[in-house]
Amino acid sequence: MAKAQSNFEQSIVELEKLVDALEGDELSLDESLKVFEKGVKLSRSCQKILDQAELKIQKLSDEQWQDVSDEL
């Protein structure tokens, strides 16, 4: 999970840089499209990491509730 967290954090930093570049007026249309495309890919990668974390949390929560019901 540490590698995923590192990738996630690096991707977020990169996304912030891409947004800053897109908000500026230095990029041509072609460059803007390339930056936007890279941002979409990074965003999808981040979403995948978040989805995996959510599944792990759900699994851990389900296991915890199973343990509680076993004790009853």
Side-chain angles (χ1 to χ4, degrees), residues 20-34:
D20 288 342
L22 288 170
E23 288 177 341
D25 58 357
E26 294 88 32
L27 299 177
S28 67
L29 178 60
D30 188 48
E31 291 170 327
S32 294
L33 289 172
K34 289 177 183 177

Side-chain angles (χ1 to χ4, degrees), residues 1-61:
M1 187 67 155
K3 183 179 180 186
Q5 180 180 359
S6 175
N7 288 340
F8 180 80
E9 291 170 354
Q10 290 172 354
S11 293
I12 293 295
V13 168
E14 183 66 22
L15 277 169
E16 290 172 350
K17 291 177 184 176
L18 296 176
V19 169
D20 288 342
L22 288 170
E23 288 177 341
D25 58 357
E26 294 88 32
L27 299 177
S28 67
L29 178 60
D30 188 48
E31 291 170 327
S32 294
L33 289 172
K34 289 177 183 177
V35 168
F36 182 79
E37 181 179 8
K38 185 174 181 178
V40 168
K41 289 178 183 179
L42 283 171
S43 176
R44 288 179 181 158
S45 174
C46 288
Q47 187 60 52
K48 183 177 178 181
I49 293 168
L50 289 172
D51 290 344
Q52 291 170 345
E54 183 178 15
L55 286 173
K56 186 172 184 173
I57 290 168
Q58 185 63 45
K59 181 179 177 185
L60 292 170
S61 295

